[in-house]
Amino acid sequence: MAMSFDVIVIGAGPGGYVAAIRCAQLGLNTACIDSQAKQNGGQKGMPSLGGTCLNIGCIPSKALLDSSEQYHNIIHQFPAHGINADNVTVDIAKMQARKDDIVSGLTGGIAQLFKANKVTSVHGHGRVMQDNTVNVLDDSGQVIQTLSAREIILAPGSVAIELPDMPFDHEFIVDSTGALSFEQVPKRLGIIGAGVIGLELGSVWNRLGSEVVVLEALDDFLAVADQQIAREAKKQFTKQGLDIRMGAMVKKADLGAGGVQVSYTQKDKHSHIEVDRIVVAVGRRPATVGLLSPDCGVAINQGGFIEVDDQCKTNVPHIWAVGDAVRGPMLAHKSSEEGVAVAERIAGGVGHVDFNCVPWVIYTSPEIAWVGQTEKQLNKQGIEIKTGSFPFAATGRARAMEQPIGLVKMIADKHTDRLLGVHMIGPHVSELIGECVLAMEYQASSEDIARTMHAHPTLSEATHEAALAVDKRAIHKVN
């Protein structure tokens, strides 16, 4: 007999574990199936909740970003403060151990939350069968358990895309997971892809001493971001030493005595670079392989994404899907909000996710963050807009921090003044963007932010002044 639950969640990443906890809070008997195992340390191979984000993505990358930035600042920023340090060294093993401790603490915290909320945690690969049953498989593909439920939530997450002519060997040619576990600083590091993951990983190892070359197939740098912000970002990253080559189509990688030789074309010219290691960061795809039996009926499109409606319902009654495996941006917080919304709907309530107010953040230095639409997107739609911007260099706080870099840009409807997008590059903008997400969620105008008092001296004054600049009445810059 199969064990029966009200809800089975497949996947314990930010979408799945949050959905499971919320279902349990709403009184639903819930099980969560997940196959993730610890990557490092004495407990390697043991179950580890949190999905890609906590185990091999968002959290470990931010830990290394922070460590590498501290090292970089000691050498490059501290002297401006009158603080001098000689013979500064970095202990990569200790840095990696710190990262692993942070991951263990957070993943262990989810296990405790499951226990406290009475969520049944099942380790293995979940596979949806007919009639709302789920087989749990081990790593060899053998069925070790069968569960059934009234409702099923699919939250399998995503995996790194592997290039056809450049398979991962997990030593010299690696994905983002491998790039988070280097035991020493590569002298020469190649990054394929100048997206969020590529730029963050490139920043980590560049700060620690690598000569980093980033090869990007597109001609436009950070095409997903506002063009003004992207131009500033490329300028700053180039100053830091990242060698960013746009329009570079990678053809193949060959292993040799000197490392990895990567061949690519740029403006019809054939070129190559030789590096110690190459990180392939060309995007991610839904982790839906093996998730569904052929006869369960759940529709998947050609890209591998599970097809859902606006409520996250699949085409099969009582089966839902959230997160990276469905439409929309592959962002942890988007996944979590969908997970909560689905739990609320299953329990008979109302779920809400506003896709117009999803914040994006790139945790480089300077950080990049935005919410809403870009100026280019709005112009394409024929929407009349007005914009205002303000540089961090004109704020006392950024100067005192020795980080007078970047700007805040605000876009509003020309006629109604409603906020349509806010774009930032600068210090701690990952935190500053929250105010603007809330403002847009409340359908605020730029005038609303302009009339809101902001503390002095703070970085948030740049947001205030950008709002004032929309109507050409900024105080601390010439309009």
Side-chain angles (χ1 to χ4, degrees):
M1 290 289 293
M3 290 181 64
S4 183
F5 296 87
D6 294 324
V7 181
I8 292 173
V9 182
I10 299 180
Y17 86 75
V18 169
I21 289 172
R22 186 61 187 138
C23 283
Q25 289 175 344
L26 292 166
L28 300 167
N29 183 17
T30 305
C32 185
I33 305 169
D34 187 77
S35 61
Q36 183 72 50
K38 289 187 182 297
Q39 300 290 305
N40 302 296
Q43 293 185 313
K44 186 176 181 179
M46 295 295 289
S48 185
L49 301 172
T52 294
C53 179
L54 270 70
N55 285 278
I56 53 175
C58 314
I59 300 305
S61 65
K62 303 313 165 281
L64 291 184
L65 277 161
D66 192 72
S67 293
S68 63
E69 187 170 3
Q70 302 286 2
Y71 174 72
H72 181 270
N73 289 345
I74 288 175
I75 297 171
H76 299 283
Q77 279 200 2
F78 279 23
H81 293 271
I83 303 170
N84 298 306
D86 296 324
N87 302 316
V88 179
T89 61
V90 60
D91 185 336
I92 297 297
K94 193 168 185 178
M95 185 181 293
Q96 292 286 14
R98 171 184 175 272
K99 174 207 73 179
D100 294 340
D101 285 345
I102 291 169
V103 169
S104 293
L106 290 172
T107 56
I110 297 173
Q112 292 300 314
L113 287 170
F114 271 15
K115 185 176 180 181
N117 286 282
K118 296 181 172 59
V119 174
T120 300
S121 183
V122 180
H123 185 67
H125 301 270
R127 191 178 196 205
V128 180
M129 311 302 289
Q130 284 183 316
D131 303 321
N132 278 34
T133 60
V134 177
N135 282 344
V136 183
L137 291 72
D138 61 18
D139 289 338
S140 68
Q142 297 298 309
V143 178
I144 54 176
Q145 198 172 358
T146 299
L147 312 177
S148 68
R150 177 167 54 86
E151 308 282 344
I152 296 173
I153 303 174
L154 306 176
S158 60
V159 294
I161 293 174
E162 189 172 22
L163 293 176
D165 297 324
M166 201 177 297
F168 299 130
D169 67 3
H170 304 293
E171 183 177 0
F172 299 103
I173 303 173
V174 303
D175 59 5
S176 56
T177 303
L180 291 170
S181 302
F182 291 161
E183 295 177 355
Q184 58 187 20
V185 179
K187 183 179 179 182
R188 303 158 301 171
L189 180 66
I191 307 277
I192 303 177
V196 176
I197 296 172
L199 291 173
E200 289 185 354
L201 292 173
S203 293
V204 167
W205 297 107
N206 176 59
R207 292 170 189 162
L208 296 174
S210 282
E211 298 172 14
V212 178
V213 179
V214 182
L215 303 176
E216 169 56 53
L218 297 177
D219 292 321
D220 296 327
F221 182 72
L222 277 181
V224 69
D226 186 86
Q227 289 182 328
Q228 184 178 356
I229 301 298
R231 285 194 299 271
E232 177 67 17
K234 190 169 187 291
K235 182 177 80 174
Q236 295 300 332
F237 298 150
T238 301
K239 278 185 180 179
Q240 293 170 14
L242 290 180
D243 182 353
I244 302 171
R245 305 181 188 182
M246 305 302 298
M249 296 292 296
V250 175
K251 299 301 181 182
K252 63 175 181 175
D254 297 312
L255 297 180
V260 186
Q261 188 170 93
V262 182
S263 302
Y264 67 97
T265 59
Q266 191 176 30
K267 295 181 179 179
D268 297 325
K269 181 183 177 183
H270 293 277
S271 303
H272 75 274
I273 57 170
E274 192 166 74
V275 294
D276 297 306
R277 289 184 172 181
I278 189 83
V279 180
V280 179
V282 294
R284 300 182 65 81
R285 60 174 176 80
T288 50
V289 175
L291 175 68
L292 307 166
S293 67
D295 54 5
C296 76
V298 175
I300 291 183
N301 66 23
Q302 289 184 336
F305 290 89
I306 301 167
E307 294 186 355
V308 294
D309 63 12
D310 292 341
Q311 303 294 306
C312 289
K313 292 179 181 177
T314 70
N315 61 306
V316 176
H318 308 293
I319 299 182
W320 313 68
V322 302
D324 287 3
V326 304
R327 78 285 178 268
M330 289 184 173
L331 298 170
H333 42 280
K334 173 261 193 185
S335 302
S336 295
E337 291 302 312
E338 285 180 331
V340 169
V342 166
E344 299 283 353
R345 290 163 188 153
I346 288 174
V350 178
H352 170 78
V353 180
D354 187 348
F355 289 102
N356 295 313
C357 296
V358 178
W360 290 67
V361 179
I362 303 176
Y363 294 88
T364 48
S365 181
E367 292 182 343
I368 303 166
W370 70 90
V371 62
Q373 299 188 75
T374 66
E375 186 171 349
K376 184 178 180 180
Q377 289 170 331
L378 292 164
N379 286 336
K380 261 190 175 181
Q381 298 170 52
I383 297 173
E384 293 187 285
I385 59 173
K386 51 184 180 177
T387 67
S389 63
F390 193 80
F392 281 103
T395 68
R397 179 66 172 156
R399 285 191 170 276
M401 293 167 60
E402 199 63 29
Q403 296 187 56
I405 295 170
L407 69 143
V408 175
K409 177 179 180 177
M410 203 162 286
I411 308 173
D413 187 287
K414 182 178 179 180
H415 304 289
T416 67
D417 194 38
R418 180 176 173 179
L419 275 180
L420 301 175
V422 183
H423 307 267
M424 307 175 174
I425 177 169
H428 302 299
V429 296
S430 59
E431 306 296 339
L432 295 182
I433 199 65
E435 173 188 7
C436 301
V437 177
L438 184 63
M440 286 187 60
E441 196 66 71
Y442 284 174
Q443 301 185 21
S445 63
S446 70
E447 178 77 4
D448 289 324
I449 294 182
R451 289 187 177 273
T452 300
M453 191 180 299
H454 290 66
H456 173 78
T458 61
L459 297 172
S460 68
E461 288 179 287
T463 305
H464 183 225
E465 290 273 3
L468 288 166
V470 170
D471 286 317
K472 295 182 171 54
R473 53 195 182 96
I475 301 298
H476 293 93
K477 79 162 193 172
V478 176
N479 292 289

